[in-house]
Amino acid sequence: VLRAVIELARARRGLARLDLATLARGSAPCPATASLSPAQAARVAWIGYVLPRVARWLPFRADCLVQAIAAQRWLAASGLGGRIVIGVDRPPATGFEAHAW
């Protein structure tokens, strides 16, 4: 859990200095799930589980993009690749919605 707090804080701080082009260039290829060892798959699952739960309790905003950046960095530190995907929609009701994962 402490690692999640650290990664989220680093991602939030880094996001202020990061543009989307740099973020896109920094994405590592994402390995196929079938090629992960059981330990690696468990690591990926843990990171995906703990980050959003810890993010809710932090005193700073740790939205989906911050969580995606934190996950990518944590995966890279574990020797695993990851890619950040940003989806955008323009529904009539709200005009704009985006999500990162």
Side-chain angles (χ1 to χ4, degrees):
V1 172
L2 178 60
R3 177 69 185 264
V5 172
I6 291 168
E7 293 297 343
L8 288 164
R10 288 179 60 208
R12 182 68 193 160
R13 187 178 63 239
L15 185 59
R17 295 175 278 161
L18 189 66
D19 62 68
L20 290 180
T22 303
L23 182 65
R25 280 194 307 273
S27 285
C30 189
T33 304
S35 66
L36 295 176
S37 72
Q40 290 172 324
R43 170 67 61 177
V44 170
W46 171 250
I47 292 169
Y49 174 82
V50 75
L51 282 175
R53 283 156 182 81
V54 169
R56 285 184 232 157
W57 298 100
L58 295 176
F60 55 86
R61 186 174 166 193
D63 56 15
C64 58
L65 183 55
V66 172
Q67 292 175 44
I69 293 168
Q72 184 182 44
R73 290 181 181 179
W74 195 350
L75 287 168
S78 300
L80 299 167
R83 181 179 353 169
I84 295 175
V85 177
I86 299 172
V88 179
D89 191 14
R90 292 179 45 182
T94 59
F96 179 82
E97 292 180 2
H99 183 62
W101 63 96

